[in-house]
Amino acid sequence: MATFCLSAFGVQAASVHLAQAVDPPPASHCLAVAANRPPMARVALGAALSSSEIRISFAGHSTFVLETAAGVTIATDYNGYAGGIIPRVVTMNHAHSSHFTAFPDPDIEHVLRGWDMGEGPAKHFLQVDDVLIRNVTTDIRSGAATMEHDGNSIFIFEAAGLCIGHLGHLHHRLTDEQYAQIGRIDILMVPVDGSFTMGHDGMLEVARRLRSSIILPMHYFGQLSFNRFLSEMGKEMDVEISQEPTRVFSLTGLPQKPKILVLPGF
């Protein structure tokens, strides 16, 4: 495994790990305008994926498990549980203990922490087989009236031609610079509690700005907050309630009109 350093998105040298030497390191395709996007294919969990597909399963709270055609498994906001598997890659945030673990399984190959570990803002730009993983940092509340700078990361996963974003524990509206660093997001994982993170109006603004075709709700605490989210965001988006926690997506299968896709479990 080779390791490179580069400057990405206007930040200082970021660590890049590649499964094999690549010169130059891979570029992000999500920072360019999308071409076509448009029904999502349903595939049983564990079925083989084509190079144009990615499987996403909701493990609960803020943890989704992504699986690529090359077999790379990634767990978001990993707190020690990923649906009974040991992922190859995990991303974590530390606003609350339910979004990270101090003791990740030693068999996890890449543990990506989304906050400052004492060496400055987290900077990730990691190629693992057929998926590129990068992050854009945001601030989080720290106490009643203060903010912790760069305490959260929005992680972006680029695979199968798709741009997939996980907002983590987002506490504030994004700046134009952050939007530029994020780029296009086709599938957006959004915390919808409306209080511990950010209000529904703010989350809707983020989804609009990122031109997301699919909204995957997460981080909600019962039917009341969830119904409020659906009543507000559902005014301008289609809503689908899935009976299964797993769905396979492709770029050509994205809907023409933005859709909220609810995977069971919260």
Side-chain angles (χ1 to χ4, degrees):
M1 179 177 294
T3 300
F4 297 82
C5 290
L6 80 166
S7 179
F9 317 122
V11 299
Q12 299 241 327
S15 176
V16 178
H17 306 276
L18 304 175
Q20 60 183 15
V22 176
D23 187 18
S28 166
H29 69 264
C30 295
L31 296 175
V33 177
N36 292 329
R37 27 178 114 168
M40 294 171 284
R42 294 180 184 271
V43 178
L45 183 61
L49 297 168
S50 75
S51 60
S52 63
E53 296 175 322
I54 189 165
R55 180 182 292 115
I56 300 177
S57 302
F58 189 36
H61 199 59
S62 294
T63 303
F64 291 88
V65 177
L66 288 69
E67 183 183 355
T68 72
V72 179
T73 51
I74 305 161
T76 65
D77 272 20
Y78 176 72
N79 59 17
Y81 177 74
I85 69 165
I86 299 175
R88 188 170 172 191
V89 184
V90 300
T91 64
M92 299 192 295
N93 282 298
H94 79 154
H96 298 285
S97 59
S98 52
H99 297 257
F100 76 101
T101 176
F103 305 101
D105 192 297
D107 289 335
I108 297 171
E109 186 175 341
H110 302 283
V111 177
L112 308 182
R113 295 171 176 85
W115 63 95
D116 185 350
M117 296 288 292
E119 300 177 351
K123 302 169 187 175
H124 301 293
F125 197 86
L126 175 72
Q127 182 80 38
V128 182
D129 294 350
D130 59 346
V131 58
L132 174 67
I133 306 168
R134 56 189 178 88
N135 74 306
V136 175
T137 58
T138 67
D139 301 337
I140 58 174
R141 289 184 294 273
S142 178
T146 61
M147 296 291 283
E148 177 187 344
H149 295 299
D150 301 308
N152 178 74
S153 279
I154 296 170
F155 281 95
I156 300 114
F157 311 93
E158 304 186 20
L162 289 163
C163 309
I164 302 166
H166 187 287
L167 293 181
H169 216 273
L170 183 62
H171 286 179
H172 60 81
R173 282 178 162 83
L174 301 177
T175 66
D176 289 342
E177 181 181 4
Q178 287 168 323
Y179 281 114
Q181 291 173 338
I182 294 168
R184 185 190 90 241
I185 297 293
D186 302 305
I187 301 172
L188 184 64
M189 300 161 179
V190 177
V192 300
D193 57 274
S195 57
F196 292 99
T197 55
M198 187 168 65
H200 295 151
D201 56 340
M203 293 301 178
L204 180 57
E205 176 187 306
V206 172
R208 285 197 197 105
R209 286 284 301 267
L210 294 176
R211 305 189 298 275
S212 301
S213 297
I214 295 286
I215 304 296
L216 297 178
M218 62 176 183
H219 200 264
Y220 53 99
F221 305 99
Q223 207 62 40
L224 183 61
S225 64
F226 180 66
N227 287 342
R228 187 166 59 248
F229 158 76
L230 287 183
S231 66
E232 294 180 21
M233 294 189 72
K235 293 174 183 176
E236 55 187 83
M237 299 182 184
D238 291 335
V239 177
E240 179 184 349
I241 309 295
S242 175
Q243 300 302 308
E244 301 294 333
T246 298
R247 185 66 63 94
V248 171
F249 300 92
S250 67
L251 184 63
T252 57
L254 294 178
Q256 297 289 343
K257 180 181 177 180
K259 174 186 283 189
I260 299 168
L261 175 61
V262 182
L263 301 179
F266 60 87

